[in-house]
């Protein structure tokens, strides 16, 4: 069996999200599916599609069209962005509370994907704030995975103001007194 095309590998995680969310958040699932179909269509237009990718594109396009008939998409963009940011904020709050675990990794990973899928509302390019959160979410997911694999605490370092003052502060305070003649 041949390896799946690059386009199919890129679209697959969004199709997985669509299936996972179909019952719980059908509007979000719809937009995940549409984003995946868009990836496959663009690859087809560039001539980078395989027969498997084309078949998947057509099947998923039909699923999206069927879902569209049953959904109210008038607030679709808001629903998608709100859902993505809710997952991101939940993962980030847990991370900042130093309660980072494998579930946090998954939340960051999913948030990064959902935020990336929001690009479809902006002509394919996320606005800077969403792009930054998507990039950070993906980075944290990878970082947490690496820490868990190595057996290291994946929690982020505490903010600088929460860390005890370094010993060099004492030296700085003593320096002016030493400068007096």
């Amino acid at each position: 069996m041949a390896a799946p095309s690059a386009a199919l590998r890129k679209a697959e995680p969004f199709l997985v999200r669509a299936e996972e969310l179909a019952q719980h958040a059908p509007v979000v699932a719809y937009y995940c599916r549409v984003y995946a179909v868009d990836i496959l269509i663009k690859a087809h237009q560039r001539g980078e599609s395989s027969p498997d990718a084309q078949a998947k594109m057509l099947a998923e396009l039909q699923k999206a069209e069927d879902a569209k008939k049953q959904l109210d998409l008038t607030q679709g963009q808001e629903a998608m962005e709100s859902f993505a940011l809710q997952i991101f904020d939940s993962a980030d709050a847990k991370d900042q509370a130093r309660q980072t675990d494998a579930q946090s990794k998954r939340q960051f990973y999913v948030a990064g994907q959902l935020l990336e899928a929001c690009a479809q509302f902006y002509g394919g390019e996320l606005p800077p704030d969403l792009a930054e959160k998507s990039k950070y979410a993906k980075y944290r997911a990878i970082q947490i995975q690496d820490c868990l694999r190595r057996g290291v605490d994946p929690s982020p370092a505490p903010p600088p103001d929460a860390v005890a003052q370094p010993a060099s502060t004492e030296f700085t305070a003593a320096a002016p007194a030493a400068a007096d003649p």
Side-chain angles (χ1 to χ4, degrees):
M1 185 169 145
S5 69
L8 195 51
R9 284 191 311 271
K10 185 175 179 183
E12 193 62 35
F14 297 99
L15 296 172
V16 169
R17 292 290 87 72
E19 292 301 321
E20 288 175 353
L21 297 168
Q23 297 300 312
H24 173 68
V27 171
V28 175
Y30 167 79
Y31 284 113
C32 287
R33 190 174 313 285
V34 168
Y35 189 70
V37 168
D38 189 51
I39 290 169
L40 296 171
I41 288 172
K42 287 178 180 172
H44 179 72
Q45 290 171 339
R46 291 188 308 265
E48 300 171 0
S49 187
S50 67
D52 288 345
Q54 289 177 20
K56 188 69 148 177
M57 175 183 65
L58 294 174
E60 296 300 330
L61 183 59
Q62 187 59 53
K63 286 181 185 179
E65 288 299 319
D66 292 345
K68 185 177 184 178
K69 294 174 188 171
Q70 300 172 6
L71 297 172
D72 176 8
L73 300 174
T74 55
Q75 302 294 316
Q77 178 178 351
E78 291 174 35
M80 180 72 172
E81 289 180 11
S82 176
F83 191 83
L85 290 171
Q86 180 182 19
I87 292 173
F88 176 87
D89 290 343
S90 174
D92 194 46
K94 192 173 178 182
D95 205 29
Q96 295 305 316
R98 301 186 53 76
Q99 298 171 347
T100 309
D101 58 11
Q103 182 61 27
S104 304
K105 177 199 72 136
R106 178 166 165 68
Q107 284 180 301
F108 273 124
Y109 176 72
V110 170
Q113 287 179 319
L114 295 176
L115 287 165
E116 180 182 338
C118 288
Q120 65 191 298
F121 304 119
Y122 300 97
E125 188 82 23
L126 284 172
D129 61 326
L130 294 180
E132 183 178 326
K133 285 184 179 190
S134 177
K135 185 176 179 179
Y136 177 76
K138 292 173 186 178
Y139 165 78
R140 271 306 279 153
I142 292 168
Q143 189 179 44
I144 292 167
Q145 176 65 31
D146 183 55
C147 288
L148 293 174
R149 183 182 51 77
R150 293 184 296 125
V152 177
D153 181 10
S155 297
D161 59 340
V163 178
Q165 292 294 330
S168 63
T169 305
E170 295 170 12
F171 177 75
T172 306
D180 288 332

